[in-house]
């Protein structure tokens, strides 16, 4: 499975894809523009907003997360996003501007 995120300041659209790119789940959470949020803010969004949407699946089956986010134009911000998701025991993250 793959988890895709399209994130801006006001909202993040998520898609969980299974085999053959079939959509398993679609959901929306708070926005995560890393220029305006701290690491702690993002960790809280993951814990309170994202993980509950994934509670009915085995997260170890997610092979990758692709995060397309506002504010991720620098290597520093991309590294921050990767670090946060890794700390939450989620899979390798691809951060795209």
């Amino acid at each position: 499975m793959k988890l895709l995120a399209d994130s801006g300041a006001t909202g993040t659209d998520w898609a969980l894809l299974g085999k053959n790119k079939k959509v398993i789940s679609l959901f929306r959470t708070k926005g995560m523009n890393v220029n305006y949020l701290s690491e702690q803010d993002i960790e809280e969004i993951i814990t309170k907003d994202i993980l509950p949407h994934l509670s009915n699946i085995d997260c170890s089956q997610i092979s990758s997360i692709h995060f397309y986010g506002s504010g991720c134009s620098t290597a520093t911000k991309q590294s921050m996003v990767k670090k946060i998701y890794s700390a939450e025991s989620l899979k390798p993250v691809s951060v795209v501007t």
Side-chain angles (χ1 to χ4, degrees):
M1 288 187 281
K2 292 183 181 183
L3 185 60
L4 308 177
D6 180 10
S7 187
T10 60
T12 304
D13 294 311
W14 294 88
L16 180 62
L17 305 179
K19 292 181 181 179
N20 300 320
K21 299 180 184 176
K22 181 181 176 185
V23 175
I24 295 172
S25 177
L26 297 172
F27 58 95
R28 187 168 175 84
T29 64
K30 294 178 184 175
M32 291 188 285
N33 184 324
V34 297
N35 283 326
Y36 303 109
L37 297 174
S38 68
E39 287 185 31
Q40 184 177 6
D41 293 333
I42 295 172
E43 289 169 355
E44 185 174 314
I45 292 170
I46 292 170
T47 302
K48 292 183 178 179
D49 294 343
I50 299 168
L51 292 179
H53 286 283
L54 303 175
S55 64
N56 61 339
I57 64 137
D58 178 4
C59 287
S60 70
Q61 296 300 308
I62 298 174
S63 61
S64 61
I65 299 170
H66 300 271
F67 187 85
Y68 299 84
S70 295
C72 293
S73 60
T74 67
T76 302
K77 294 296 184 179
Q78 291 172 14
S79 293
M80 182 179 95
V81 171
K82 289 178 184 182
K83 176 183 156 196
I84 293 166
Y85 280 92
S86 296
E88 295 296 327
S89 300
L90 294 172
K91 297 295 177 184
V93 179
S94 170
V95 180
V96 182
T97 59

